[in-house]
Amino acid sequence: MTKKTTDNQTSTMWGGRFSSGPASIMEEINASIHIDKRLAAQDITASKAHCDMLVRTGIISETDGIAIVRGLDAVAREIAEGRFEFSTALEDIHMNVESRLAEIVGEAAGRLHTARSRNDQVATDFKLWVRDAVGELDSQIQALQGALIDQAETHAGSVMPGFTHLQTAQPVTLGHHLLAYVEMLGRDRSRFADCAARLNQCPLGAAALAGTSFPIDREMTAASLGFDAPCANSMDAVSDRDFALEYLSAGSILSVHLSRLAEEIVLWCSDGFAFLRLSDAFSTGSSIMPQKRNPDAAELVRAKAGRVIGDLNALLITIKGLPMTYAKDMQEDKETVFDAADTLTLCLAAMTGMIAQGTFDADRMRELTGRGFATATDLADWLVRVLGMPFREAHHVTGRIVKRAETGECGLEDLSIEEMREEEPRISEDVFDVLGIDNSVKSRASLGGTAPDNVRRAVAAARKRFLEPAG
């Protein structure tokens, strides 16, 4: 284990102005190591890039540079193996790493901080972390898309009620319904990709706020860390966290999409619908009612959307009143992002499991599709197409026929031709061709429509767009 740090070391980190360490409560409120230790890998990576640049520009010696990199590698191993002792007295990950580096390599460690500040250091580390997090989330969203696409392919022709206002509207297929979420998730991936592209400018070298008088090579460090370019303005580089806000914004929209799907899962698992049975792995029971199978995972995904949205609101409120450039308020930026990332990771894993392992009851969905006069629009369309009736008139005629069926407690297809002709004498027997559920969905063959053949083509296209490697 590493040595414990004293208050004296803390004051030397700050420089010579302070003659004693902080009060215990000041130490507690000022420290962020319990949160930002998650930046350890990024901090060490960025420090190695900075060190290499300092050597190549002649700002520090090659001997010191070799010692620093060797020491940083040793610190990284200690952290990876769980042997590193994080100290609250050292405030944050940057000082914890630097202090341990000094214990390992001695005086050379003090040269690492030349031409940089913790301000540009943390901005760089945080951007690297968010960039990594975007990549991890993208893989998880893609996995959920894959589960939805698989179920959509299986149920390309499985008829279910389509709803507006949660009232039966028109017949659709389950495959079509699930592919709607695939499209939403595709846009979520695009938003995260945009976030990663916009954040990909390197703050390192901006120093505290004004840049540095040392002859550094910011293009070199930016390229070494995989950034497209250095940040153009040193004050902007250290003072804005719009990349974190954008990550949280994209995460909030993703959480809303997950919540909507979770709500549908809750409905579909209810006795009133009974469209879906979750696997035992994603169901829970009741402590008192032995018959219960509760969709708790879906309910928790639905609830956790509020948490992610709250993280976005918290950081927006933290940042909104800050003048240029850095203020300690910005120490609060990472906890919200880390929390949102952890929450989204958990929700995506749970949702993927529920969809992949769930069993849909096609017979039950077909049974409920036959209720609620779901083919009424097909009848109105037939009146327009075959009889040349203006749609508004067709709408009224169809409404009267629906009312007749409702009074007779039967479906539209169960009315006799004579009963229909009492509302519109020109109706022919051909009208029954459009009143069947299967005929209805087959007829919706317009681009983006629910016809089973459309769905099968859309499944193939979605696999290519979202699951296959680009290029």
Side-chain angles (χ1 to χ4, degrees), residues 47-107:
S47 289
K48 289 169 71 175
H50 184 66
C51 178
D52 188 33
M53 182 275 296
L54 292 176
V55 170
R56 292 201 188 188
T57 53
I59 297 172
I60 67 173
S61 71
E62 184 174 357
T63 300
D64 284 342
I66 291 171
I68 290 168
V69 170
R70 176 175 55 81
L72 288 170
D73 286 338
V75 173
R77 284 193 298 274
E78 289 181 358
I79 293 173
E81 294 168 4
R83 297 186 290 111
F84 191 93
E85 186 177 333
F86 293 100
S87 169
T88 302
L90 290 171
E91 297 182 23
D92 57 30
I93 187 61
H94 321 298
M95 288 307 188
N96 270 264
V97 169
E98 186 174 325
S99 175
R100 179 59 182 144
L101 180 65
E103 292 171 352
I104 295 172
V105 305
E107 183 179 296

Side-chain angles (χ1 to χ4, degrees), residues 104 129 143 210 281 320 342 358-359 364 394 399 401 405 408 421 432 446 467:
I104 295 172
W129 192 94
K320 74 172 183 63
D342 291 344
T359 303
R364 173 62 176 172
I401 294 174
R421 284 174 175 166
F432 292 103
S446 59
L467 306 185

Side-chain angles (χ1 to χ4, degrees), residues 258 304-305 307-308 311 338-348:
L258 295 177
K304 287 179 184 295
R307 182 170 182 156
V308 177
D311 288 329
F338 293 162
D339 180 70
D342 291 344
T343 301
L344 290 169
T345 292
L346 180 61
C347 289
L348 284 164

Side-chain angles (χ1 to χ4, degrees), residues 388-400:
M389 191 178 291
F391 183 80
R392 286 300 168 204
E393 182 182 349
H395 189 285
H396 290 303
V397 171
T398 301
R400 294 197 299 269

Side-chain angles (χ1 to χ4, degrees), residues 1 8 16 30 39 49 65 95 112 129 213 244 339 344 376 385 397 471:
M1 299 289 284
N8 246 356
N30 197 47
L39 296 176
M95 288 307 188
L112 175 60
W129 192 94
S213 59
D339 180 70
L344 290 169
R385 187 172 57 252
V397 171

Side-chain angles (χ1 to χ4, degrees), residues 258-259 261-267 269-270 278 282 284-285 292-306 347 350-351 354:
L258 295 177
S259 180
L261 179 54
E263 167 67 6
E264 300 215 271
I265 288 174
V266 172
L267 290 173
C269 288
S270 68
L278 295 178
F282 290 94
T284 59
K292 295 294 291 298
R293 288 179 63 87
N294 298 326
D296 283 3
E299 291 170 359
L300 287 166
V301 169
R302 184 177 59 186
K304 287 179 184 295
C347 289
M351 187 62 74
M354 283 187 280

